[in-house]
Amino acid sequence: MSVRRLAEASVQPASFAFNRANAAAAKQWIKKYPKGREQSAIIPLLMIAQEQEGWVTKAAIETISDMLGMPRIRGLEVATFYTQYQLNPVGTRAHIQVCGTTPCMLRGSEALMDVCRSKIHHDQFHTNDKGTLSWEEVECLGACVNAPMVMVFKDTFEDLTPERLAEIIDLYDAGKGASVAPGPQNGRTGSEPASGLTTLKSEKAILKSTRDREAREAAKAAKAAPDAIIAAPVPAPAAAPVAPSNAGKPKTDAPETSPALKTPSKTKVAPAAEKAASVSAPPHSAANANKASPEVEKVSKQRNGPKSNAEPAAAFKAPEARAPAAKSAKPSLEDKNRPAGIDRPAAVDDLKLISGVGPKIEGVLHTLGIFTFAQVASWKKAEREWVDGYLSFHGRIERDDWVKQAKALAKGGVAEYIRVFGKKPV
């Protein structure tokens, strides 16, 4: 949607007030809304203001907003959102809105716009020299069958040609716009076919007046011949039912078309002949009966019993879907690579400032005698591997670089951590 702004301050009037008739109409509109919902009347009130002034001024928006007890910014939002409100001065005698949507465009709306450019102003939303006419391109005006069309205020003019639009513009410019009949300009009525009616050319057959006249004529004819004997119609003898034809049925040896298989069927087959033509059943096999038919079920498997989930040896499996590897045993607490622990000091560092250390891990480290950043910062590779194995971290200590974090925290606390890593500790 294009940006819609109020007119420049140089053309805005200082104040606005409804005239007596429109003030009464505004009060009637406000009464139509429930108590507490009076602000909904802003749309019809802005339209009344536009009809009175020719366009919607800033003073009108503010006056109506104050009248409805709503913030002025809300009134501005409504006025600038709906394109039916003209926010700039328009022609005092006619503001021509030319439909430019697809049906009208295909039917010549561009030529209509050229007429507006030549007779009014080259650009939209600009008045002619006398200030009596202006124009703009708009979206669908709802008379696509009668395209192309224009709208002047509340009247639509359809089935236009450039020449006819030029005549209409001249009439409005001369103050004779009321003499132009709205609607189709090519002589047709409403939206009937341009070539004339092709159906329902006469309404006599469906009019009540036609039925009443025929009834009166029938009553008059009956009264003129009272002695006439009207023989009762003799019903025609019922025709014998006609059997359905078999002309379209194929003659084949397939069971679907065999008359002997129909029930009941006039064609009978001797039991001996039927038995001779029958195929003997195969010998029973429980193993074969438990197998699925690949032709039917598209898979070779057994119907009952334990199902095999065997997969091809080359079948790919995502790492997370593979069978978990056997857990390695935790390293011994007596291992020589275990970091040296200390007794709990009076001041314990907050090991949770190290990324990757939560309350639970901090508790485990305390049980190992690890209480300060300096201890973690002094770990050698073998000690880091021991702690990593003890916590079942699988390399997390190296990935998160606990030692570097601990050195920064031990050296200067959070400030040094921010300087080194460019962010606060997690």
Side-chain angles (χ1 to χ4, degrees):
M1 171 178 275
S2 60
V3 177
R4 287 166 45 81
R5 304 185 186 278
L6 299 182
E8 295 180 359
S10 59
V11 299
Q12 294 282 359
S15 61
F16 167 82
F18 285 118
N19 58 35
R20 182 175 298 180
N22 286 339
K27 290 180 180 179
Q28 289 298 321
W29 273 104
I30 294 173
K31 288 181 180 179
K32 293 182 179 182
Y33 296 92
K35 186 175 179 58
R37 302 283 184 174
E38 294 86 355
Q39 295 181 4
S40 299
I42 187 171
I43 290 182
L45 265 58
L46 287 174
M47 284 302 298
I48 294 174
Q50 178 167 282
E51 292 171 0
Q52 175 179 309
E53 302 294 312
W55 58 294
V56 177
T57 65
K58 180 181 179 182
I61 299 172
E62 294 175 348
T63 301
I64 293 172
S65 300
D66 295 342
M67 183 188 304
L68 298 175
M70 61 191 300
R72 290 182 176 181
I73 184 61
R74 295 285 304 280
L76 288 167
E77 288 170 351
V78 174
T80 55
F81 180 81
Y82 292 104
T83 56
Q84 68 196 47
Y85 301 122
Q86 301 297 332
L87 302 181
N88 288 272
V90 297
T92 57
R93 293 178 178 172
H95 177 67
I96 300 173
Q97 296 177 304
V98 185
C99 177
T101 317
T102 306
C104 284
M105 183 267 293
L106 294 175
R107 296 280 292 170
S109 63
E110 285 292 339
L112 301 185
M113 295 181 204
D114 289 339
V115 173
C116 293
R117 293 185 183 100
S118 63
K119 299 189 74 69
I120 302 175
H121 195 282
H122 181 270
D123 298 320
Q124 303 179 47
F125 303 106
H126 289 73
T127 61
N128 59 355
D129 295 336
K130 296 183 290 184
T132 56
L133 300 174
S134 58
W135 74 281
E136 68 170 308
E137 179 186 356
V138 296
E139 295 299 318
C140 184
L141 292 173
C144 305
V145 177
N146 297 17
M149 67 171 297
V150 303
M151 177 181 282
V152 180
F153 300 124
K154 293 184 178 180
D155 292 328
T156 60
F157 301 91
E158 306 139 21
D159 292 313
L160 288 170
T161 61
E163 295 75 18
R164 179 54 182 160
L165 178 59
E167 294 173 1
I168 294 174
I169 291 176
D170 291 339
L171 288 171
Y172 270 99
D173 193 23
K176 300 178 181 179
S179 64
V180 184
Q185 301 296 304
N186 62 350
R188 69 166 158 178
T189 302
S191 298
E192 68 183 19
S195 58
L197 292 175
T198 58
T199 60
L200 297 178
K201 294 184 178 181
S202 174
E203 297 183 352
K204 293 181 179 180
I206 60 175
L207 292 177
K208 184 176 184 297
S209 59
T210 303
R211 298 195 301 270
D212 293 344
R213 185 181 68 254
E214 292 175 351
R216 288 194 300 270
E217 292 176 354
K220 185 177 180 180
K223 187 176 181 181
D227 298 330
I229 300 175
I230 302 175
V234 179
V242 179
S245 172
N246 292 327
K249 293 185 178 180
K251 294 181 179 180
T252 68
D253 295 331
E256 292 79 5
T257 60
S258 174
L261 301 181
K262 293 181 179 179
T263 304
S265 174
K266 296 180 180 180
T267 305
K268 303 298 181 183
V269 179
E274 183 178 358
K275 185 175 181 180
S278 299
V279 179
S280 59
H284 175 70
S285 170
N288 291 336
N290 194 35
K291 290 182 179 180
S293 175
E295 296 82 1
V296 178
E297 301 186 27
K298 307 301 181 184
V299 65
S300 180
K301 64 178 182 180
Q302 62 182 19
R303 301 180 186 276
N304 299 314
K307 296 181 180 180
S308 173
N309 293 326
E311 295 182 356
F316 173 78
K317 271 193 174 183
E320 58 271 15
R322 295 172 183 165
K327 293 184 178 180
S328 57
K330 284 188 176 183
S332 171
L333 294 174
E334 304 300 329
D335 193 294
K336 64 177 181 179
N337 293 324
R338 172 185 171 180
I342 61 174
D343 294 332
R344 185 182 185 92
V348 177
D349 290 336
D350 185 3
L351 300 180
K352 296 190 296 297
L353 292 177
I354 299 175
S355 177
V357 177
K360 183 177 179 181
I361 300 301
E362 184 183 45
V364 175
L365 293 175
H366 287 175
T367 61
L368 297 174
I370 309 299
F371 296 97
T372 66
F373 297 132
Q375 289 179 274
V376 178
S378 64
W379 288 351
K380 301 295 188 287
K381 181 176 177 59
E383 294 172 321
R384 295 196 298 270
E385 291 177 350
W386 186 93
V387 177
D388 193 85
Y390 188 82
L391 298 177
S392 302
F393 267 5
H394 308 291
R396 182 172 181 179
I397 294 177
E398 297 293 341
R399 289 195 303 272
D400 291 346
D401 205 345
W402 283 16
V403 172
K404 186 176 180 180
Q405 294 186 63
K407 286 181 179 179
L409 291 168
K411 182 179 180 181
V414 174
E416 179 66 14
Y417 188 100
I418 295 174
R419 190 191 69 79
V420 173
F421 294 98
K423 63 177 181 179
K424 292 183 179 180
V426 178

